Amino acid sequence: MSTTLLVGMPDGRICRLLDVLDGQTLTHRVEAATTGRTDLWTNVSLLPLLVCAALDPIPLVTGGALTAAEFGHPALVGPPGWMPDVPAGALLALTVERGRVRIEALSDGVGSTPAQEQRVRAILGRHIRDEAWWSDVAEPNREAELNRAVSHGLIEDPELFRTPVSPLIELLHDVLSEHSRAHVFDDAAAWDAGDVVSFVVAGMPESLYAEFNRRATRYGMSLDRFVIATLGHCAWRTPFAEDLGPWESWEVPQTQPSAPAILRAVQSMSDPEDAPDPEDPNAVEGAESR
């Protein structure tokens, strides 16, 4: 669950990320001319290949192998002549073929349609969890999240990158930016709503925690948002759903007891003078009707 080099499949198998990328093409827009160079400086557009090359060299179709640059540089390094000579701003396409990489220049562009690129953006964006926090101590690892989103997107749709599309950094600019736009807007709206509080839930049963996580993931929410939404739903299902005013008004008011109601006097049947004569059949019948 913590590595992006191994990919868990829905049927329980575990595959290498490089095997999941087989037959897929990732593109990259170079920032400088590649003439005479062996190092390809890249960004998140080729991140899946970069992390694979950092573990083991990736063979090239033309011979030799790709390795990650030394000292942590974000670059792929290969033998002399492994890259085509292209000017700055040109597009390169790197395709994985049975564990080997083939590279070529895309002189006519990627050739994808806006609908194809929107579909890739939608699938990857759905698999990326990029909550932004007001504190900088819990920032998510966006590179790992992107790698995981690529692998999960390919499991969902094995044809996702069969046709070259624009570089990932261009397709997912908002998602991969330092501050996620959508979540920052949501957080700002929550704070602007008025006084807010923060709290910690302790002692939650493990099974309940797992169920909350499952439902939060299903609804595209983080765990804290789902818990707050659930608590809000429970509150609105109680008498507090109505505006009861300040808490001081929740107490039952102390009122003076009202005067007893005056009841009309009813003739008592126990009065000997009003008792029916048992010898008179009409009197007995009238008493029964009353």
Side-chain angles (χ1 to χ4, degrees), residues 234-254:
C234 292
W236 285 104
R237 298 289 293 180
T238 65
F240 288 93
E242 299 184 8
D243 186 9
L244 300 182
W247 66 268
E248 293 88 349
S249 65
W250 297 352
E251 298 180 358
V252 178
Q254 301 295 329

Side-chain angles (χ1 to χ4, degrees), residues 60-146:
L60 288 165
V61 172
T62 56
L66 287 180
T67 59
E70 297 291 343
F71 308 113
H73 299 138
L76 290 170
V77 180
W82 76 278
M83 282 188 298
D85 295 337
V86 295
L91 283 171
L92 294 178
L94 285 80
T95 305
V96 180
E97 299 177 349
R98 297 183 178 181
R100 299 186 300 172
V101 172
R102 175 171 52 86
I103 184 171
E104 59 182 346
L106 297 177
S107 56
D108 298 330
V110 293
S112 58
T113 64
Q116 289 175 316
E117 298 203 344
Q118 174 58 29
R119 187 169 184 276
V120 173
R121 184 185 297 110
I123 290 179
L124 295 184
R126 187 170 67 250
H127 287 288
I128 291 179
R129 300 184 60 83
D130 58 347
E131 292 85 354
W133 308 95
W134 289 101
S135 173
D136 59 356
V137 298
E139 280 294 319
N141 187 336
R142 300 185 186 280
E143 288 76 13
E145 291 295 337
L146 174 61

Side-chain angles (χ1 to χ4, degrees), residues 37-52:
R37 303 191 62 160
T38 59
D39 53 331
L40 175 61
W41 286 69
T42 181
N43 46 45
V44 295
S45 297
L46 299 180
L47 183 64
L49 294 177
L50 186 62
V51 297
C52 291

Side-chain angles (χ1 to χ4, degrees), residues 109-282:
V110 293
S112 58
T113 64
Q116 289 175 316
E117 298 203 344
Q118 174 58 29
R119 187 169 184 276
V120 173
R121 184 185 297 110
I123 290 179
L124 295 184
R126 187 170 67 250
H127 287 288
I128 291 179
R129 300 184 60 83
D130 58 347
E131 292 85 354
W133 308 95
W134 289 101
S135 173
D136 59 356
V137 298
E139 280 294 319
N141 187 336
R142 300 185 186 280
E143 288 76 13
E145 291 295 337
L146 174 61
N147 246 16
R148 189 172 292 109
V150 169
S151 60
H152 289 181
L154 288 173
I155 295 174
E156 179 180 350
D157 180 11
E159 304 294 323
L160 192 62
F161 296 113
R162 295 284 183 183
T163 301
V165 295
S166 297
L168 294 179
I169 196 170
E170 299 176 13
L171 286 179
L172 305 175
H173 173 73
D174 286 339
V175 176
L176 299 177
S177 59
E178 182 177 357
H179 297 291
S180 172
R181 303 293 191 268
H183 288 290
V184 167
F185 286 155
D186 289 348
D187 292 340
W191 282 84
D192 290 342
D195 295 335
V196 297
V197 297
S198 298
F199 60 92
V200 176
V201 179
M204 181 186 297
E206 185 177 355
S207 57
L208 180 60
Y209 173 77
E211 179 65 15
F212 274 2
N213 268 302
R214 185 185 68 81
R215 297 195 181 196
T217 302
R218 176 181 179 184
Y219 299 132
M221 304 170 67
S222 60
L223 178 62
D224 56 340
R225 288 168 179 255
F226 181 76
V227 171
I228 293 174
T230 303
L231 292 176
H233 174 73
C234 292
W236 285 104
R237 298 289 293 180
T238 65
F240 288 93
E242 299 184 8
D243 186 9
L244 300 182
W247 66 268
E248 293 88 349
S249 65
W250 297 352
E251 298 180 358
V252 178
Q254 301 295 329
T255 58
Q256 296 294 331
S258 58
I262 300 177
L263 302 179
R264 182 173 56 87
V266 179
Q267 191 176 25
S268 175
M269 296 298 294
S270 61
D271 190 347
E273 297 181 356
D274 296 331
D277 186 358
E279 300 297 337
D280 185 358
N282 295 328

